[in-house]
Amino acid sequence: VEVAEARRVLSGRIKAGPAQWRTLTLFVVQDFAAIRVSKLMPQAGAWPPKPGEILIERDALQVAHARIGDEVTVRTARGLDHALRISGTVKDVGQAQARMENLVYGYVTLQTLALLGEAPVLDRLYLQGGDALQVKAVLEARGHPVTRVDLPEPGKHPHADLMGLLLLVLASFALFALVLSGALVMNLMTALMASQVRQIGVMKAIGGSRARIARIYLGQALLLGAVAVLIGLGPGVLGGRAIVQAMAVFLNFDIGSFAVPAWVFAVAALLGLLAPLLSAAWPVWRGTAVPVCEALTSHGVSQNNFGADALDRALAGVGGLARPVLLALRNAFRRRTRVLLTLGTLSLGGLFFMTALNVRASMIGTLDGLFAKMKFDLSVTLAGTGTAEQVERAMRAVPEVQGFEAWMTTQGSLPGPGETHAAGLHGGGGGAPAGSFPVFALPPATRMLDFDISRGRGLQPGDTNALVISSALAAQHRELQPGQTVTLRLGHMPKEFQVVGIARQPFSPPAAYIPREAIEMPGMTNSLRIAVRGDVEVARAAVDKALEAEGLRAMTSNSKADSRTGFDEHMRMIYVALVILSAILGGVGGLGLATTMSLNVLERRRELGVLRALGATPATVWLLVVAEGAVIGLASWGVAALLAWPVSKLIGRGLVIHAFHSSMDFVFEPRGVGIGLLLSLLLAVLGSFAPAVRATRDTIREALAYE
C-alpha cells in the first residue's frame, strides 16, 4: 500500500431556510491540510472549514439552494438537527455531478461531526496501491470487519463513459460532414469538367496529355482544400473550445489547458487536402477521357434525349400539375449523378435529424415505462428501523397518504472473488464489487412495484426464499438463471435463495428483490413506499412530521419526480448534442443543394433565355427554379423518412449499450417525419432562392448569347 487515509462518509439531509430537505452525502475529513487521496480543491470562501462550518461541492450549491455564508440545517441518522454555516466551496473530482444525482455533497471536520451528534470516528479507508482483497483479509484478521470494497478506476471521472459517448457522437457526425463536403466537391468538379469540355479538347489538340490536364484540375481541387483548411482552422479551434467548455460545465470538471496538440492540426490539414482531392479524382479522370473530336464539337448540352429510359418515361407520364411544376419535376432528374449526390447530402441531414428525435423519444419513453412501474409517489428511508405499528399510526395521521407499504432494504452480496463494475447511469464507472447491491424485501403481492419480468416470474404470495434480480445484476452474473439456487449474503448472514425471475429495469443499477418473510426481523421496517393524493411536497412534509411524532426519523425522502430529474439530467446532453449536430449536417446538405441549383441555372442559362423569349415572366422562371429545388428536397425527405426507423433503432441501441450498458424501448416519433418534411422544404427553398433570383436577372439577349 502506497498511501492510506481514513475518512468517513454518511448520509443525511440538508435544508437551507424554508426550502425542503435535500439528500446529503457528508464526507468527514480528519485533516484538510494533509489530504493525499481523493483530493479536494478549494474554490471559494474559507479553507479549511472550522468546527460548526461545512464546505459544499461547487456544483451542489444549486441543489441545496444556498450560497456561501448561509446557515443550513443538517440532519444525520443518529444525531440531532444542527445549524452549520456554509464557509466555502470545493471541487471534488471523484464525485458524480451533484445536479445529475440530485443530491448535495458536504465536507466537515471530526469536531463538526461531534456537534451533529454523531460519534467522531472514521470508518472508511482510502488506499493507493496494494491488493484490496489482501488488505481486507488483514483488517478482518485484526478484528475490523470489512462490509464493502470499492475499486474505482484511478483517474477516471464518474461520467467518463457519458463524455466518451458524446465525443464519439461528435466524431461520427464530423466524419459524415466530411463525406458530405466531399460530395459537394464532386458535384462542383463534375460541373466544371462538363462546362470546360471544349477547353479540354483544345488542350488535347495542341499536345496536352490526359495526365497533365488532370493535374491542372486536381490542382484546383487541392487549392480548394487548402483554402478550406485555412478558413476552417480558426472556427474549428473556437468551436472546440466552446464544446469543451459546455461539457465541463455540464459534467462539472475543469479544463487544464485549451492548447491543441500539433498532430490535431496535421490531421485536420491532411483530411482537408485529401477529401477534395479524392472527391475530384473520378470527375477529373472521367472528364479528361473525352476524345478530341467529341470535345471540340460539344455544345455543353447532354446528348441523351429526354424519354430515353424508364425514369424519364415515368416523369413524362405525370400530368395534372401546373406546367412550371411539371417542367421542374423533369429538370430535377436531368443530371442523375449530380442529383443523387445532392439527395445523399440532404437525405443524411434529414435522416440524422429524425434519428435524433427518435432516440430522444425512445429514451424518454423508456424512462416513462420504468417510472410507470413504480406505483408510489414517495420513497422514504428511515434512520434505523421502526415497527409496523409505529409506521401504521404515522401514515394514518397523514390525510394525504393514499396507501403505503413497509419494506426492508439492506445490502446484499454474491459469493466469489471477482470484481465487476456497476451498471446504470454511470456506465461502467464506479467499480462496486458484484457482491455489493441493494436488496429490497417487500410483500410478495406488492402494489407499489409492477415488475417487468423478462424471464421467469415475479414474487408470489407464499414465497419464502424466492429471488428476483434486475436486468443489470443479471448482466453482471450471466450464470444466474431462473430456477437456479444461489447463496445470497445479506449483511454478514448467508442464505440460500432460488432465482425465480429477471426484472427488466433499464438505466438502473443492479438490485435484487426478496419476500419480506425472508428477513429475520418480523414486524420491522426501514423503508417506506407511499402513494399520495394531492400535492407531493405537502405530503412529504406531513409524513416527516408524523414519523417524528412516532419517534422515527426520515433519513431520505425522495419523490418520484426527484428520481426522474436525475435520469433526465443524464440524458439531456445526449438529446441536445444529437439535435445540434444533425442540424449542422442539414446545413451542409442545404449548401449542397444551393451548389447544385447554382450549377443547374448556369448550365441552362440559354434554355431559360429561350423560355423568356417565348413569353415566360421572371416570376415564372423564379418559380421554375425554386420548384426544382423543392422536388429535390421532397425526394430527400422521402429517402430519409424511409430509413429513419431502422437507422434510429440501430443508433439508439448502440448509444445506450455503449453509454449505459442497458437496453432501450424503441419509439418512433411521428412528429419527426412532419418536422423533417417542413425543414426539407424550407432548406430547398432557401438553397434555391439565390440561384432563382440570379436566373431572372439576365436579359434575354445576354442569356441567349451565353456560351
Side-chain angles (χ1 to χ4, degrees):
V1 174
E2 299 171 7
V3 179
E5 188 172 316
R7 298 255 184 109
R8 186 172 177 185
V9 182
L10 62 161
S11 297
R13 305 175 83 183
I14 186 170
K15 182 172 69 171
Q20 69 183 41
W21 287 103
R22 298 286 179 180
T23 303
L24 171 69
T25 299
L26 194 63
F27 297 85
V28 183
V29 181
Q30 186 172 17
D31 186 357
F32 279 86
I35 297 178
R36 295 181 294 168
V37 184
S38 189
K39 294 183 178 180
L40 305 176
M41 295 179 287
Q43 299 292 295
W47 171 272
K50 300 176 182 178
E53 297 180 341
I54 183 172
L55 298 175
I56 300 293
E57 212 282 334
R58 65 180 186 184
D59 189 63
L61 279 179
Q62 304 176 58
V63 183
H65 300 293
R67 296 176 297 180
I68 296 177
D70 289 352
E71 276 201 352
V72 293
T73 303
V74 174
R75 171 186 294 178
T76 58
R78 297 176 180 82
L80 301 174
D81 293 358
H82 192 85
L84 300 179
R85 190 178 73 88
I86 299 177
S87 61
T89 59
V90 297
K91 173 69 187 82
D92 188 350
V93 74
Q95 303 305 320
Q97 187 202 42
R99 282 172 293 157
M100 284 189 176
E101 306 306 314
N102 199 26
L103 53 80
V104 179
Y105 301 119
Y107 306 85
V108 297
T109 61
L110 274 172
Q111 294 88 338
T112 302
L113 185 63
L115 293 176
L116 295 175
E118 295 278 350
V121 297
L122 304 175
D123 62 2
R124 182 169 298 202
L125 194 61
Y126 286 179
L127 305 174
Q128 279 186 353
D131 181 88
L133 297 180
Q134 184 180 2
V135 171
K136 179 175 182 292
V138 170
L139 289 173
E140 290 182 333
R142 298 185 180 184
H144 304 291
V146 177
T147 59
R148 175 168 176 158
V149 178
D150 289 335
L151 296 176
E153 185 175 335
K156 184 175 181 179
H157 190 276
H159 286 117
D161 288 337
L162 179 59
M163 184 165 55
L165 170 68
L166 294 173
L167 293 174
L168 177 64
V169 170
L170 181 64
S172 301
F173 275 74
L175 177 62
F176 278 114
L178 187 65
V179 172
L180 296 184
S181 65
L184 299 185
V185 175
M186 188 177 292
N187 257 345
L188 184 63
M189 295 305 296
T190 300
L192 181 63
M193 301 302 293
S195 65
Q196 297 185 1
V197 66
R198 285 189 178 184
Q199 288 91 326
I200 293 173
V202 171
M203 285 189 285
K204 281 192 168 186
I206 61 175
S209 66
R210 183 182 182 184
R212 196 168 186 179
I213 297 171
R215 285 201 296 270
I216 296 174
Y217 290 99
L218 291 177
Q220 291 183 355
L222 198 61
L223 180 62
L224 183 66
V227 174
V229 168
L230 292 176
I231 293 175
L233 282 180
V237 171
L238 295 178
R241 289 188 178 184
I243 292 174
V244 167
Q245 285 177 323
M247 284 188 176
V249 171
F250 188 79
L251 299 179
N252 191 29
F253 64 88
D254 293 325
I255 307 300
S257 171
F258 284 107
V260 181
W263 67 264
V264 174
F265 291 105
V267 171
L270 182 63
L271 291 177
L273 295 175
L274 280 181
L277 199 61
L278 295 176
S279 302
W282 171 247
V284 170
W285 185 252
R286 182 177 158 186
T288 54
V290 61
V292 176
C293 182
E294 182 181 330
L296 294 177
T297 57
S298 172
H299 296 284
V301 180
S302 175
Q303 300 300 313
N304 296 326
N305 295 323
F306 184 83
D309 56 27
L311 179 60
D312 290 340
R313 289 192 292 272
L315 293 175
V318 176
L321 300 175
R323 194 175 299 274
V325 177
L326 286 173
L327 191 57
L329 183 62
R330 295 166 183 172
N331 280 336
F333 296 94
R334 284 173 61 175
R335 295 287 188 179
R336 302 291 167 78
T337 303
R338 184 180 304 167
V339 76
L340 285 176
L341 290 173
T342 305
L343 277 175
T345 57
L346 277 176
S347 297
L348 277 176
L351 173 61
F352 282 110
F353 179 78
M354 295 182 200
T355 296
L357 295 183
N358 288 336
V359 171
R360 176 182 179 275
S362 298
M363 287 183 170
I364 292 176
T366 302
L367 290 177
D368 289 342
L370 175 66
F371 281 89
K373 302 293 182 183
M374 304 175 188
K375 307 302 181 181
F376 53 87
D377 302 295
L378 279 176
S379 173
V380 178
T381 301
L382 302 179
T385 58
T387 65
E389 293 77 12
Q390 287 176 298
V391 172
E392 182 78 24
R393 287 193 299 267
M395 295 300 102
R396 286 179 180 175
V398 182
E400 292 83 5
V401 173
Q402 188 173 4
F404 76 96
E405 284 182 0
W407 293 8
M408 279 293 291
T409 303
T410 185
Q411 286 293 313
S413 62
L414 292 170
E419 306 291 343
T420 60
H421 297 300
L425 289 175
H426 299 154
S436 180
F437 51 84
V439 178
F440 302 94
L442 62 160
T446 177
R447 294 173 297 169
M448 294 297 169
L449 185 61
D450 185 10
F451 287 112
D452 182 8
I453 300 297
S454 59
R455 279 182 287 171
R457 64 172 178 84
L459 299 178
Q460 295 178 354
D463 285 338
T464 56
N465 67 334
L467 174 67
V468 174
I469 61 175
S470 69
S471 51
L473 187 57
Q476 288 186 354
H477 295 271
R478 300 188 182 277
E479 72 279 3
L480 294 183
Q481 300 295 330
Q484 182 178 353
T485 299
V486 298
T487 300
L488 179 65
R489 185 182 295 274
L490 303 176
H492 294 284
M493 299 296 295
K495 187 172 183 179
E496 285 194 347
F497 286 88
Q498 184 180 33
V499 180
V500 297
I502 298 175
R504 182 173 176 270
Q505 294 179 339
F507 304 131
S508 300
Y513 302 87
I514 59 177
R516 277 293 308 268
E517 289 74 11
I519 296 290
E520 298 178 359
M521 297 179 67
M524 304 300 290
T525 181
N526 64 0
S527 180
L528 304 176
R529 300 298 183 272
I530 304 170
V532 304
R533 58 172 69 92
D535 187 87
V536 176
E537 296 307 323
V538 173
R540 191 205 307 248
V543 166
D544 284 354
K545 291 181 180 179
L547 289 172
E548 288 178 0
E550 292 293 331
L552 302 176
R553 172 176 296 184
M555 195 66 264
T556 64
S557 178
N558 294 319
S559 68
K560 194 153 63 171
D562 292 336
S563 301
R564 180 62 187 265
T565 298
F567 282 89
D568 288 336
E569 284 291 333
H570 282 80
M571 308 297 178
R572 183 168 299 151
M573 197 166 187
I574 299 177
Y575 306 156
V576 174
L578 286 174
V579 173
I580 291 178
L581 292 173
S582 61
I584 293 174
L585 286 185
V588 175
L591 290 175
L593 178 62
T595 302
T596 294
M597 295 309 300
S598 297
L599 295 174
N600 288 350
V601 167
L602 188 64
E603 288 180 352
R604 296 205 296 270
R605 196 172 176 184
R606 296 179 71 181
E607 294 180 23
L608 297 175
V610 171
L611 289 177
R612 294 280 303 279
L614 293 175
T617 63
T620 303
V621 173
W622 184 89
L623 178 62
L624 178 66
V625 176
V626 172
E628 184 178 339
V631 168
I632 297 175
L634 191 61
S636 70
W637 166 80
V639 173
L642 288 174
L643 296 176
W645 183 294
V647 172
S648 300
K649 196 169 184 178
L650 180 64
I651 291 180
R653 181 176 180 274
L655 289 177
V656 170
I657 290 177
H658 179 81
F660 305 115
H661 305 281
S662 182
S663 60
M664 181 180 71
D665 299 325
F666 178 70
V667 176
F668 187 79
E669 176 59 83
R671 290 179 298 178
V673 178
I675 296 173
L677 174 60
L678 294 176
L679 291 177
S680 296
L681 292 177
L682 179 61
L683 275 176
V685 172
L686 292 177
S688 306
F689 187 85
V693 171
R694 194 178 304 115
T696 62
R697 287 180 177 173
D698 288 342
T699 64
I700 297 176
R701 182 174 180 277
E702 290 173 338
L704 293 176
Y706 176 72
E707 284 286 343

